[in-house]
Amino acid sequence: MNKHNKQYFRIFYPLLFSFFIFNFSFLIATVRYVSKTGNSTPPYITWETAADSIQKCINICVFGDTIYVANGVYKEQVVMIDGLSLIGGGTDSCVVDSRDFPLTNNITLTMKNSCLVTGFYLRTSNDFNYGEGIWCEGLTGEITQNKFSNANTGIYLFNSNTKVHNNDFINLRRGIDISNSNSLIKKNRFFLLIDPNSLGIFISAFNSNYAPIIDSNEIVTASNGIIKAPGTRSTITNNEIKLISGSEGIFLHSFLSDSNWVYNNLIYTDLAGYAVYTNGSNYLQINNNYAKGNFLFYGLSIGPNHTVKNNVVTDSEGGVEVWGTQNLVYKFNDVWNNDENYAGYNPDTTNLSVDPMVVNDDTAQGELDFRLQMFSHLIDTGDPNILDKDGSRSDIGLYGGPYGESYFYIDLPPRTPVNLTANIDSNIVTLKWNKNTEADFSYYNLFYDTTKNFQIDSTKLVSSQPDTFYYFVIPPETDSLYFKLTAIDNQGNESNPSEEIGVVVTSVEDEWKPVNNYILYQNYPNPFNPSTKIGYKLKDRGYVKLYLYDIKGEQISVLVNEVQEAGYYEVEFNAQVGSKQEAVGKSLASGVYIYQIFVKDENNIPVFSDIKKMLLVK
């Protein structure tokens, strides 16, 4: 066996062994080879006599044959035969490229019955309106460890029960289209941001005899995550969907006597319509999903005949929308920190409105982790008739229930206190801050010093209290004061200190005022469509200019151009009409934009400048 054969058998032998179970003819099949340095003389049974074209090699194959394809770019369209295993050298360098072929009905690879396709990068067209990476006509098969880009659809499954797993879908209009299929779609990754109408997975059927499974996929999209058209009895579980200015995370049409199960999905977004949206009154079970978003319109939209249990909706505008209550079961859900004008739907006391206390739900603090902390109110408070994997009563949230995970609950310190402010009246400083919401929160420690950027310790502690305000009497002959705050829980864990805030004497009359720094904040939301807010803080009174540029550095708008007092400011920018101060005059295209601030003091001396990027996605 030469070195090429050893390499391929080492990488792909496990795949072939599993596939052999379904293809007894593999025992008597022929192994053939394709290489960019190959020739046109069959039978292509060694690397030295390999074919120079994938299709040439397929044309002499029979059911059960296996073809190894060496690295290179193969500019052709491939039509397989039944029972063929097609194994490429890897998605980094083994490419099938059909972009030079006519756009209409452009299919890079047509897959037949009982086939395996693995190890390829398939490129189809540069027009999102045309082409499929793989058109699957076979009743069974396996598509794994491939990469798809430049097409209308990555994989189209019609009347097929194919297993599609561990593939990458990049810059497509639609990742996978499933029609009349019982396929398993598992552990694929979708990154679909170029086309504003992008969609991760589309499911449809003529009737409810089909039951595809959509499990453990990662979807990042500019529009929709998963859409299920009328028909099918779909199971949608353990998917992670991030919407970058999209419409719906999971959109379910429930007609034609179908039933659907939606379990343990995470949907989070910067700007979107719905995390889970239902349209139809047939049976639908929605359990243990977690919806979080900035400018998310509603976390759940539900109606009659739906069973909705153990879900969490946080940081949305509307919480839960109910458009029909006949035979609706809505219990053991947590709707938290949504817009105060929308209380959500709360028909009985089993539903909660509490801080979920997950490990981390903020991308600014590192990798997201929606496991519950040790003292969360959501532990063992779900439906008592639903059990977690460890056999205990189900948790409310992403990892509860039989489709969830068993894990160890960790005890973390409270979140860092935020929005510490100071107001001065005579010789009294009034300090205020936002309240912590953890279930195990106990009290705050307030520290002060006369030196800026001080380190907290017990000698600088002035108060330990549960309240969110404190009146501090300024000591005699003091010129400056600086304050920091920490939060402590019932177990004694202490948070990181808050942002430091200070007050100083400003004149011979011993007038005091708060001390702030100059800060240009990241716009919010980001990415955005069509509007976003840009915040900044001024230490002192000054002349402020805030500019907006495109990525080429050409000025688009002046968002601020005036003298402003010390304090925090926020300006709204709308990509369709411009800022409140000055209209752009035309709608901007998707892309990266730059905003820059300049501040001069009252003597016209520059004191601060900063620059940041923001992303518009339409």
Side-chain angles (χ1 to χ4, degrees):
M1 182 182 295
N2 62 34
K3 63 179 180 180
H4 298 289
N5 291 351
K6 289 179 181 178
Q7 176 185 4
Y8 276 104
F9 273 94
R10 183 171 61 253
I11 296 173
F12 294 109
Y13 180 78
L15 289 171
L16 289 175
F17 181 77
S18 63
F19 200 68
F20 152 76
I21 297 173
F22 304 99
N23 292 277
F24 180 79
S25 58
F26 173 76
L27 291 173
I28 57 173
T30 302
V31 177
R32 306 183 194 273
Y33 302 91
V34 177
S35 171
K36 290 299 294 181
T37 59
N39 58 63
S40 299
T41 305
Y44 316 128
I45 57 175
T46 67
W47 282 112
E48 290 72 21
T49 62
D52 59 359
S53 158
I54 298 173
Q55 192 60 52
K56 286 180 183 178
C57 193
I58 292 175
N59 289 342
I60 68 164
C61 287
V62 297
F63 190 102
D65 281 359
T66 297
I67 299 175
Y68 290 107
V69 182
N71 292 339
V73 179
Y74 299 86
K75 294 192 174 183
E76 56 184 306
Q77 291 177 302
V78 176
V79 179
M80 298 181 71
I81 64 169
D82 289 351
L84 182 66
S85 296
L86 188 62
I87 301 174
T91 59
D92 291 338
S93 51
C94 191
V95 183
V96 183
D97 189 342
S98 65
R99 288 179 295 172
D100 292 339
F101 289 80
L103 291 178
T104 305
N105 297 323
N106 184 0
I107 299 171
T108 304
L109 188 148
T110 301
M111 185 170 169
K112 302 294 185 177
N113 191 43
S114 301
C115 289
L116 167 69
V117 178
T118 184
F120 291 95
Y121 180 12
L122 294 100
R123 311 189 72 180
T124 302
S125 76
N126 291 317
D127 188 328
F128 291 120
N129 293 308
Y130 297 96
E132 286 80 30
I134 293 181
W135 178 281
C136 190
E137 298 178 350
L139 294 178
T140 61
E142 184 175 2
I143 302 171
T144 182
Q145 299 180 33
N146 302 285
K147 181 165 69 174
F148 300 83
S149 74
N150 301 85
N152 176 272
T153 304
I155 299 176
Y156 189 94
L157 303 169
F158 182 73
N159 289 334
S160 176
N161 299 330
T162 299
K163 181 180 181 181
V164 180
H165 62 104
N166 297 99
N167 300 280
D168 293 309
F169 299 83
I170 302 172
N171 298 338
L172 305 153
R173 170 163 287 179
R174 185 175 293 181
I176 300 177
D177 195 324
I178 305 168
S179 180
N180 291 351
S181 170
N182 291 315
S183 293
L184 170 64
I185 313 299
K186 187 179 180 73
K187 293 186 177 180
N188 301 283
R189 295 161 295 275
F190 302 80
F191 193 79
L192 312 174
L193 295 179
I194 298 299
D195 191 290
N197 299 310
S198 61
L199 166 60
I201 300 172
F202 182 75
I203 309 166
S204 64
F206 298 147
N207 56 56
S208 58
N209 294 329
Y210 300 94
I213 297 174
I214 315 299
D215 180 39
S216 303
N217 301 281
E218 299 176 18
I219 303 175
V220 181
T221 174
S223 187
N224 294 284
I226 300 172
I227 293 181
K228 190 205 77 68
T232 80
R233 294 173 288 108
S234 303
T235 300
I236 301 173
T237 61
N238 291 295
N239 300 284
E240 180 178 332
I241 302 172
K242 179 173 177 57
L243 300 175
I244 307 295
S245 180
S247 298
E248 287 87 22
I250 301 176
F251 187 1
L252 300 155
H253 293 272
S254 298
F255 298 105
L256 300 180
S257 300
D258 58 3
S259 299
N260 296 273
W261 296 266
V262 181
Y263 298 144
N264 301 87
N265 299 281
L266 168 64
I267 303 104
Y268 59 105
T269 176
D270 291 314
L271 180 65
Y274 295 84
V276 178
Y277 181 87
T278 66
N279 179 13
S281 57
N282 283 10
Y283 179 75
L284 177 64
Q285 189 155 339
I286 304 173
N287 288 359
N288 291 100
N289 300 281
Y290 198 109
K292 173 182 170 58
N294 303 318
F295 292 88
L296 176 66
F297 189 39
Y298 281 103
L300 301 175
S301 172
I302 54 178
N305 303 312
H306 296 170
T307 298
V308 182
K309 296 180 179 180
N310 299 350
N311 302 281
V312 177
V313 177
T314 71
D315 303 291
S316 74
E317 181 177 338
V320 179
E321 175 188 51
V322 178
W323 49 269
T325 59
Q326 184 177 5
N327 298 321
L328 171 64
V329 178
Y330 180 87
K331 292 178 175 291
F332 305 101
N333 301 285
D334 182 33
V335 180
W336 165 252
N337 199 35
N338 301 284
D339 191 295
E340 62 182 9
N341 295 318
Y342 296 88
Y345 182 63
N346 190 18
D348 62 42
T349 57
T350 66
N351 297 292
L352 304 175
S353 182
V354 297
D355 183 346
M357 282 186 67
V358 298
V359 172
N360 179 38
D361 63 356
D362 185 355
T363 54
Q365 303 300 320
E367 185 176 355
L368 294 174
D369 188 340
F370 290 89
R371 291 175 299 167
L372 300 177
Q373 294 185 46
M374 184 176 291
F375 296 96
S376 169
H377 281 306
L378 305 190
I379 296 174
D380 295 336
T381 53
D383 187 339
N385 297 311
I386 299 175
L387 300 181
D388 285 343
K389 278 196 169 182
D390 62 4
S392 64
R393 177 175 172 173
S394 64
D395 294 345
I396 297 175
L398 187 61
Y399 297 109
Y403 289 88
E405 279 185 17
S406 295
Y407 60 92
F408 178 75
Y409 304 114
I410 60 177
D411 181 18
L412 295 177
R415 285 187 290 269
T416 303
V418 296
N419 199 26
L420 176 61
T421 61
N423 291 299
I424 302 95
D425 185 5
S426 298
N427 68 330
I428 296 178
V429 180
T430 301
L431 298 159
K432 294 182 179 180
W433 55 90
N434 290 1
K435 183 175 179 60
N436 280 58
T437 55
E438 294 90 347
D440 60 337
F441 168 77
S442 183
Y443 62 93
Y444 298 99
N445 278 339
L446 180 66
F447 303 86
Y448 97 100
D449 200 344
T450 57
T451 304
K452 189 176 183 180
N453 298 322
F454 71 96
Q455 297 297 314
I456 63 172
D457 60 50
S458 59
T459 65
K460 299 163 186 174
L461 178 66
V462 293
S463 175
S464 295
Q465 60 178 65
D467 299 321
T468 57
F469 63 91
Y470 184 78
Y471 300 109
F472 184 89
V473 179
I474 300 173
E477 300 181 359
T478 303
D479 295 327
S480 60
L481 295 168
Y482 298 91
F483 298 91
K484 291 181 182 178
L485 188 70
T486 62
I488 294 86
D489 64 22
N490 293 329
Q491 300 75 246
N493 299 313
E494 187 170 16
S495 74
N496 290 324
S498 67
E499 182 182 5
E500 183 178 282
I501 190 168
V503 294
V504 297
V505 175
T506 59
S507 70
V508 294
E509 288 82 13
D510 292 335
E511 293 182 358
W512 292 77
K513 80 171 196 177
V515 175
N516 293 305
N517 294 320
Y518 294 102
I519 301 174
L520 177 64
Y521 294 96
Q522 186 64 51
N523 64 300
Y524 176 89
N526 187 46
F528 69 98
N529 178 29
S531 63
T532 189
K533 292 182 179 180
I534 299 171
Y536 55 94
K537 184 188 289 186
L538 304 180
K539 176 181 177 182
D540 296 304
R541 187 175 189 267
Y543 186 77
V544 181
K545 279 194 172 184
L546 183 62
Y547 295 94
L548 180 69
Y549 303 92
D550 63 19
I551 194 63
K552 296 180 291 184
E554 297 180 359
Q555 182 178 313
I556 294 173
S557 180
V558 180
L559 305 179
V560 179
N561 186 15
E562 62 185 16
V563 175
Q564 294 180 326
E565 301 295 329
Y568 176 79
Y569 293 88
E570 201 168 70
V571 59
E572 183 175 356
F573 174 73
N574 190 306
Q576 293 181 336
V577 299
S579 70
K580 292 181 178 179
Q581 286 77 9
E582 177 180 324
V584 172
K586 63 179 181 180
S587 178
L588 299 180
S590 297
V592 176
Y593 292 87
I594 298 168
Y595 58 96
Q596 186 173 27
I597 191 171
F598 292 96
V599 182
K600 294 182 179 180
D601 66 13
E602 293 182 304
N603 297 317
N604 205 34
I605 298 174
V607 293
F608 178 68
S609 68
D610 197 5
I611 188 170
K612 292 187 183 296
K613 295 180 180 180
M614 61 183 181
L615 177 62
L616 171 62
V617 179
K618 293 187 174 181

